[in-house]
């Protein structure tokens, strides 16, 4: 693997530089693991890098643990303001920090109001003030009638825009149709504004279970197969064909992105579009790469998401696309809610509405809670498939940073970049337990899963915001985090995505 040349100097502050050092440092996806010392200014910028291990006087000594860039999770639902019983900025950024995530990009729903205007953008920014333990940015949304807001939202700091081609699940974020999309894309054309698609569309005909002639309405809603049959791969394929057509129509001025790809059936069309040179990117999620439909027990609605988790063979094809670069990066799509909306048995008697059925996949809210646990999940499954640590940096640090328009300050360790680091032990194992989950509602399909990879410390712009050793020593979940919220709201201009 080629060695990445290191810039060695920049203009330095009068204040002394702080040193962050380790025997195993991975600066970027193009570098080798080896000793390094990173010198950081009082403003949290990287001033100088040497390829030596210098523990004496260091602000942080990673020792034999791996020090690499902090993760950028570009798809998180924080749900603030308006639905903080589902999540909130404090718990979401605590969870992020505990998993080595140094930047999160919030989705424009399921907060109230949805982030579809400058006024709503400012309301979210104000709501997040003084509650961020990692750096936070936000996407805006495209909904019917808001095309005139998009340019102003970009100027204010939105990183790009998400839309739905089907029902979003919340009435305040309705889907758009092609004429409305064209209107929005014409507005974005002058600004090279990114548009992201929840790519599912209704398909003609009544869906049926693949294994029988039983009509969907007659099937048991507490069985995962019933829900899976209700959202077949054809829904994604149809929508992605529409996305590619629009991408071609507005190329090269409006880059397009497919969020949370689930159906491997869409990969041939995606590969053709990329070979054509269209400005199209694609993400998938930790859950599509680590769980198969065959693994989902009856009534276990913590596994429900849209589009759905599909078969093991589908997962294998997604992994092949991750490894060959067809899929650009991996995100959490952390989308929590309260357990009663999941119609989950953990709620106890009386918490589920009388007209609902416990464990009803068809009626439960769709979304998987996972912010802050993606690194060990990805590494555990990926390493047995040939994933390298350099690939991890590419998939969850560098490319997500570029996607979010912060690729010239985050995602790798380089002179001039933010000093965002994670220190972790890829060889160590731990179990995911409720006590180690820091998001608000701890209902997740990953409980009790044993993973390789233990996050030890998280550094945001030179400040330690999470230290697992403090957590162990104090027996207090808050004790692991910095006393003050040291994250910042990101509204710097969007940097080029090439």
């Amino acid at each position: 693997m080629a060695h990445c040349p290191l810039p060695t100097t920049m203009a330095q502050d009068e204040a002394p530089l702080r040193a962050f050092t380790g025997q195993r440092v991975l600066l970027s996806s193009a570098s080798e693991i080896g000793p390094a010392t990173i010198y950081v200014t009082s403003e949290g910028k990287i001033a100088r890098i040497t390829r030596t291990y210098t523990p004496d006087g260091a602000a942080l000594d990673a020792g034999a643990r791996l020090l690499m860039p902090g993760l950028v999770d570009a798809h998180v639902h924080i749900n603030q303001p308006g639905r903080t019983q589902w999540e909130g900025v404090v718990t979401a950024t605590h969870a992020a920090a505990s998993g080595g995530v140094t930047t999160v990009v919030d989705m424009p729903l399921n907060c109230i109001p949805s982030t579809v205007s400058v006024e709503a953008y400012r309301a979210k920014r104000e709501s997040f003030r003084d509650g961020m333990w990692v750096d936070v940015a936000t996407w805006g949304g495209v909904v019917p009638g808001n095309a005139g807001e998009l340019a102003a939202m970009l100027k204010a700091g939105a990183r790009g825009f998400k839309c739905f081609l089907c029902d979003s699940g919340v009435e305040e974020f309705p889907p758009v149709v092609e004429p409305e999309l064209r209107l929005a894309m014409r507005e974005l054309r002058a600004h090279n504004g990114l548009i992201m698609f929840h790519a599912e569309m209704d398909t003609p005909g009544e869906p049926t279970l693949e294994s029988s002639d039983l009509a969907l309405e007659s099937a048991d809603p507490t069985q995962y197969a019933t829900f899976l049959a209700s959202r077949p791969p054809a829904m994604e394929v149809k929508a992605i064909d529409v996305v590619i057509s629009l991408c071609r129509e507005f190329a090269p001025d409006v880059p397009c992105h497919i969020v949370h790809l689930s159906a491997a059936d869409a990969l041939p069309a995606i590969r053709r579009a990329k070979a054509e040179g269209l400005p199209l990117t694609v993400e998938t999620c930790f859950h599509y790469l680590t769980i198969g439909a065959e693994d989902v027990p009856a009534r276990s609605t913590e596994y429900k998401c849209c589009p759905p988790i599909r078969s093991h063979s589908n997962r294998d094809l997604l992994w092949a696309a991750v490894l060959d670069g067809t899929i650009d990066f991996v995100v959490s799509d952390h989308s929590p809610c309260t357990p009663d909306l999941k119609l989950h048995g953990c709620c106890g008697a009386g918490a589920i509405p009388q007209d609902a059925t416990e464990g009803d996949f068809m009626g439960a809210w769709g979304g998987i809670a996972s912010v802050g646990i993606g690194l060990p999940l990805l590494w555990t499954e990926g390493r047995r498939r040939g994933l390298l640590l350099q690939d991890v940096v590419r998939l969850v640090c560098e490319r997500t940073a570029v996607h979010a328009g912060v690729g010239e300050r985050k995602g790798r360790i380089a002179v001039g970049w933010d000093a965002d680091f994670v220190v972790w032990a890829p060889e160590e194992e731990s179990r995911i337990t409720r006590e180690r989950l820091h998001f608000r509602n701890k209902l997740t399909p990953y409980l009790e899963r044993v993973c390789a990879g233990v996050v030890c410390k998280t550094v945001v712009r030179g400040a330690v915001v999470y230290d697992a050793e403090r957590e162990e020593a104090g027996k207090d979940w808050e004790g692991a985090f910095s006393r003050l919220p040291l994250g910042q709201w990101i509204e710097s201009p969007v940097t080029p995505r090439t």
Side-chain angles (χ1 to χ4, degrees):
M1 183 172 294
H3 180 72
C4 181
L6 297 178
T8 57
T9 188
M10 67 174 290
Q12 299 179 10
D13 297 335
E14 293 182 2
L17 302 178
R18 292 166 296 143
F20 295 74
T21 192
Q23 299 169 30
R24 301 167 63 207
V25 178
L26 181 56
L27 303 174
S28 72
S29 65
S31 68
E32 301 285 355
I33 297 171
T37 300
I38 305 150
Y39 295 91
V40 177
T41 71
S42 58
E43 283 76 30
K45 293 288 187 179
I46 297 171
R48 183 162 53 93
I49 302 169
T50 65
R51 269 302 196 178
T52 56
Y53 174 53
T54 315
D56 290 347
L60 184 150
D61 177 10
R65 291 167 172 165
L66 183 69
L67 190 158
M68 73 176 209
L71 281 66
V72 178
D73 191 342
H75 193 145
V76 176
H77 292 267
I78 295 178
N79 305 327
Q80 183 174 326
R83 286 194 175 98
T84 51
Q85 70 274 29
W86 293 16
E87 192 58 273
V89 66
V90 171
T91 50
T93 57
H94 271 176
S98 73
V101 178
T102 52
T103 304
V104 297
V105 190
D106 189 32
M107 281 289 152
L109 72 162
N110 305 303
C111 50
I112 301 174
S114 297
T115 316
V116 296
S117 67
V118 172
E119 182 180 2
Y121 171 90
R122 290 171 178 159
K124 176 182 283 189
R125 180 183 60 191
E126 183 61 28
S127 172
F128 282 23
R129 187 185 301 276
D130 300 326
M132 298 174 286
W133 262 258
V134 302
D135 287 352
V136 180
T138 190
W139 303 107
V142 172
V143 295
N146 83 325
E149 293 275 356
L150 304 183
M153 290 177 69
L154 276 177
K155 184 177 180 180
R159 315 317 291 172
F161 301 92
K162 181 183 183 180
C163 69
F164 273 73
L165 302 183
C166 62
D167 180 31
S168 73
V170 291
E171 62 182 4
E172 65 272 7
F173 202 96
V176 287
V177 294
E178 286 190 51
E180 293 160 340
L181 279 169
R182 286 190 172 87
L183 182 61
M185 292 174 83
R186 281 195 289 270
E187 290 292 322
L188 293 174
R189 175 177 264 163
H191 307 279
N192 200 231
L194 173 73
I195 187 164
M196 309 186 298
F197 297 83
H198 179 122
E200 289 182 286
M201 296 179 76
D202 290 334
T203 53
E206 181 185 35
T208 58
L209 294 177
E210 296 176 356
S211 58
S212 73
D213 295 327
L214 186 65
L216 190 60
E217 286 79 2
S218 305
D220 182 354
T222 67
Q223 296 294 321
Y224 184 71
T226 302
F227 169 64
L228 182 60
S230 75
R231 298 185 92 101
M235 291 183 67
E236 290 187 74
V237 171
K238 178 180 178 180
I240 287 169
D241 285 344
V242 170
V243 172
I244 291 171
S245 177
L246 287 166
C247 185
R248 182 180 295 113
E249 181 179 339
F250 286 88
D253 300 316
V254 184
C256 296
H257 178 73
I258 297 164
V259 300
H260 49 50
L261 178 70
S262 162
D265 287 2
L267 288 170
I270 291 168
R271 288 190 171 103
R272 289 193 297 270
K274 290 192 165 200
E276 187 181 334
L278 297 182
L280 179 72
T281 53
V282 184
E283 71 186 46
T284 194
C285 304
F286 302 120
H287 41 274
Y288 300 131
L289 298 176
T290 60
I291 307 172
E294 298 90 337
D295 306 324
V296 182
R299 300 181 183 272
S300 297
T301 51
E302 66 269 31
Y303 289 83
K304 179 182 176 180
C305 59
C306 299
I309 293 166
R310 304 192 188 275
S311 67
H312 287 160
S313 58
N314 182 87
R315 180 180 63 178
D316 290 342
L317 293 171
L318 291 179
W319 264 110
V322 167
L323 293 171
D324 72 17
T326 302
I327 293 174
D328 295 274
F329 53 83
V330 187
V331 295
S332 70
D333 188 12
H334 174 70
S335 186
C337 68
T338 52
D340 60 307
L341 294 177
K342 277 288 190 184
L343 307 180
H344 199 273
C346 71
C347 296
I352 295 175
Q354 290 186 350
D355 59 348
T357 301
E358 178 189 317
D360 179 355
F361 280 101
M362 300 301 290
W365 173 262
I368 288 181
S370 61
V371 68
I373 55 178
L375 179 58
L377 290 169
L378 182 69
W379 178 237
T380 302
E381 182 66 26
R383 64 178 182 170
R384 72 181 186 86
R385 296 173 180 268
L387 192 77
L388 302 176
L389 289 165
Q390 286 84 351
D391 296 321
V392 173
V393 170
R394 172 175 57 87
L395 292 168
V396 296
C397 305
E398 292 175 348
R399 288 192 175 179
T400 45
V402 170
H403 171 65
V406 293
E408 294 182 1
R409 59 179 287 197
K410 295 185 180 291
R412 60 192 179 104
I413 299 173
V415 170
W417 263 244
D418 290 348
D420 293 349
F421 315 132
V422 56
V423 177
W424 64 298
E427 299 83 7
E428 294 182 18
E429 290 189 345
S430 67
R431 187 182 302 274
I432 297 173
T433 63
R434 287 179 58 86
E435 293 73 27
R436 292 183 177 275
L437 294 175
H438 300 295
F439 42 79
R440 173 152 295 158
N441 293 289
K442 304 180 195 313
L443 183 59
T444 175
Y446 298 114
L447 278 176
E448 300 303 318
R449 180 177 286 219
V450 175
C451 293
V454 176
V455 172
C456 306
K457 290 181 172 64
T458 303
V459 177
V460 176
R461 285 173 289 97
V464 177
V465 297
Y466 174 79
D467 184 341
E469 293 174 355
R470 284 205 305 259
E471 182 175 32
E472 292 296 329
K475 304 297 182 183
D476 178 354
W477 72 273
E478 291 185 346
F481 300 95
S482 58
R483 292 177 61 86
L484 297 175
L486 301 175
Q488 294 180 353
W489 182 264
I490 297 172
E491 53 189 2
S492 55
V494 172
T495 54
R497 292 188 166 96
T498 53

